[in-house]
């Protein structure tokens, strides 16, 4: 058996965020490279918005490009001018590419200081394993919202909405979203809980679900063979396995020679 490996090692980075709960003011975040991945070796470093967390493209602007700072603590800094428009509300990060390593992304979550809905225990992320069951995403509501919605008597719970990766609403009502499972890779991403009609106000709760595990993607691998005058494409017995460790994707393929 011949084993062929693509790059399985990510670019090693750390992200530091200032004022997690003050997205309404000018803010910034920084991405630091490990000593093994110096700036000279990294091909590109980009800033990014991981996904929409409000209703329109204008409400979800991309962050500015990162600036490089050398010195005793080398780092990339992304400075977001909010302009009073909640531009710094959401999930942001850095994406690095380096020859011989995986394209790697790292992200951080930012919310308003006056948010009316926040993740329980102020946890912005949860990490689960593939095939886990009964995964809960819990949010806490401010006292004012509970009074306005009369939650003490259980009325008007339907005014809460849950959204996943800016897609269709996945749940109506309740401050807890339950994924009965088994958890799959497509369950990963950004979960939002907001009061109906108020998503654009950026006063709601965000939670990023990370799924780690292994999934069989394909049982077909293409191997090129040369003849004297032509290039023939032969499909042989091999498979591709996709591993996801936190936000890093690792591709490995194994090829079995014919006997």
């Amino acid at each position: 058996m011949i084993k062929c490996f693509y790059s399985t090692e990510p670019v090693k980075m750390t992200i530091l965020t200032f004022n997690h709960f003050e997205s309404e003011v000018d803010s910034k975040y920084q991405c630091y490279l490990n000593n093994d991945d110096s700036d000279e070796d990294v091909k590109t470093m980009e800033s990014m918005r991981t996904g929409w967390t409000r209703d329109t493209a204008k409400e979800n602007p991309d962050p500015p490009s990162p600036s490089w700072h050398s010195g005793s603590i080398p780092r990339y800094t992304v400075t977001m001018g909010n302009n009073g428009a909640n531009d710094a509300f959401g999930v942001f990060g850095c994406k690095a590419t380096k020859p011989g390593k995986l394209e790697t992304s790292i992200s951080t979550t930012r919310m308003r200081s006056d948010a009316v809905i926040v993740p329980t225990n102020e946890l912005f992320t949860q990490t689960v394993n593939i095939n886990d069951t009964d995964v809960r995403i819990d949010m806490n509501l401010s006292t004012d919202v509970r009074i306005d919605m009369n939650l003490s008597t259980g009325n008007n719970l339907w005014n809460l909405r849950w959204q996943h990766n800016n897609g269709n609403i996945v749940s109506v009502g309740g401050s807890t979203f339950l994924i009965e499972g088994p958890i799959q890779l497509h369950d990963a991403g950004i979960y939002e809980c907001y009061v109906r009609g108020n998503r654009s106000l950026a006063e709601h709760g965000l939670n990023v679900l990370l799924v780690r595990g292994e999934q069989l993607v394909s049982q077909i691998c293409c191997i090129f063979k040369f003849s004297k005058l032509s290039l023939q494409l032969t499909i042989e017995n091999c498979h591709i396995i996709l591993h996801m460790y936190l936000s890093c994707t690792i591709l490995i393929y194994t090829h079995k020679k014919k006997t």
Side-chain angles (χ1 to χ4, degrees):
M1 178 184 293
I2 299 175
K3 291 186 177 181
C4 307
F5 294 93
Y6 281 112
S7 298
T8 60
E9 184 179 0
V11 179
K12 297 175 182 177
M13 294 188 293
T14 301
I15 192 167
L16 173 65
T17 303
F18 296 83
N19 305 320
H20 272 289
F21 277 99
E22 294 184 10
S23 68
E24 70 273 20
V25 300
D26 289 351
S27 55
K28 62 183 177 181
Y29 62 90
Q30 296 174 338
C31 295
Y32 297 80
L33 292 169
N34 182 278
N35 291 336
D36 296 335
D37 293 311
S38 64
D39 177 59
E40 292 79 9
D41 297 329
V42 172
K43 184 178 180 180
T44 62
M45 176 70 78
E46 302 174 5
S47 60
M48 63 178 186
R49 177 185 286 272
T50 301
W52 281 20
T53 50
R54 298 169 74 199
D55 287 330
T56 67
K58 185 177 180 180
E59 294 172 339
N60 293 274
D62 291 328
S65 298
S67 57
W68 170 248
H69 301 273
S70 58
S72 58
I73 307 179
R75 64 195 182 278
Y76 289 89
T77 299
V78 180
T79 302
M80 296 181 287
N82 211 359
N83 302 317
N86 295 316
D87 292 350
F89 171 83
V91 184
F92 303 90
C94 293
K95 179 169 64 177
T97 58
K98 177 181 177 179
K101 290 197 174 183
L102 292 169
E103 181 179 272
T104 307
S105 300
I106 188 170
S107 63
T108 183
T109 303
R110 310 196 72 258
M111 292 172 49
R112 291 180 58 94
S113 61
D114 59 352
V116 298
I117 302 174
V118 297
T120 301
N121 298 325
E122 299 183 0
L123 294 177
F124 292 109
T125 64
Q126 295 187 63
T127 302
V128 297
N129 296 314
I130 199 166
N131 292 325
D132 280 354
T133 58
D134 297 329
V135 173
R136 294 167 55 98
I137 301 176
D138 295 304
M139 297 285 178
N140 286 336
L141 280 65
S142 69
T143 301
D144 290 342
V145 171
R146 297 188 70 86
I147 292 174
D148 290 343
M149 298 180 67
N150 198 19
L151 293 184
S152 60
T153 61
N155 295 328
N156 296 327
L157 281 173
W158 58 271
N159 276 327
L160 288 180
R161 296 291 184 269
W162 283 87
Q163 198 150 336
H164 176 220
N165 287 342
N166 194 46
N168 294 328
I169 293 172
V170 292
S171 181
V172 175
S175 58
T176 295
F177 181 68
L178 175 65
I179 307 174
E180 294 182 354
I183 287 287
Q184 299 299 312
L185 295 179
H186 63 254
D187 293 312
I190 303 172
Y191 287 82
E192 306 172 58
C193 181
Y194 56 91
V195 178
R196 183 181 63 164
N198 289 355
R199 189 178 182 226
S200 288
L201 299 180
E203 297 176 346
H204 56 285
L206 305 175
N207 189 277
V208 177
L209 185 67
L210 304 174
V211 179
R212 59 187 176 190
E214 175 178 303
Q215 181 184 37
L216 185 64
V217 175
S218 174
Q219 291 185 334
I220 298 178
C221 176
C222 296
I223 307 298
F224 288 97
K225 287 187 175 181
F226 288 93
S227 65
K228 290 182 179 180
L229 299 176
S230 64
L231 177 64
Q232 296 177 338
L233 182 62
T234 304
I235 298 177
E236 300 199 3
N237 180 23
C238 52
H239 62 272
I240 299 173
I241 296 177
L242 172 66
H243 293 267
M244 289 194 69
Y245 296 101
L246 299 182
S247 59
C248 304
T249 304
I250 300 175
L251 287 176
I252 302 175
Y253 77 86
T254 303
H255 166 57
K256 293 183 179 180
K257 292 184 67 177
K258 287 184 176 179
T259 57

